[in-house]
Amino acid sequence: MSQPEPRVDEVVRSIAEETDTPTETVSRMYADTLAVYRQDARVFDYVPLFAAKKVRDQLRDASRRRH
């Protein structure tokens, strides 16, 4: 049984708030990451979750490097 896909706007808003990043930037990063993951995926159930985690981690790492 496949997992329901999270609402993209909710995911983007959440990541933007957590990382203090503009929603436009997060939205672009999320869409790009999602496209890359879907390209090679055999099972799509968790692709949105993995994409959100990658974007969140990238933004947190970038924030740490700035401080």
Side-chain angles (χ1 to χ4, degrees):
M1 180 176 210
S2 72
Q3 297 289 320
E5 188 163 324
R7 294 178 48 106
V8 173
D9 55 337
E10 292 173 10
V11 172
V12 168
R13 187 178 61 243
S14 174
I15 295 170
E17 289 174 4
E18 289 174 28
T19 61
D20 195 29
T21 304
T23 55
E24 299 81 23
T25 302
V26 175
S27 180
R28 191 174 338 104
M29 289 177 71
Y30 181 74
D32 291 348
T33 303
L34 200 55
V36 169
Y37 280 7
R38 283 185 171 155
Q39 206 170 34
D40 296 325
R42 292 184 186 173
V43 177
F44 295 91
D45 291 351
Y46 298 101
V47 169
L49 178 69
F50 295 145
K53 179 173 177 10
K54 181 172 179 103
V55 170
R56 189 176 282 113
D57 290 347
Q58 286 176 329
L59 291 169
R60 284 182 181 155
D61 288 346
S63 175
R64 285 186 192 122
R65 280 183 260 141
R66 282 182 272 160
H67 290 94

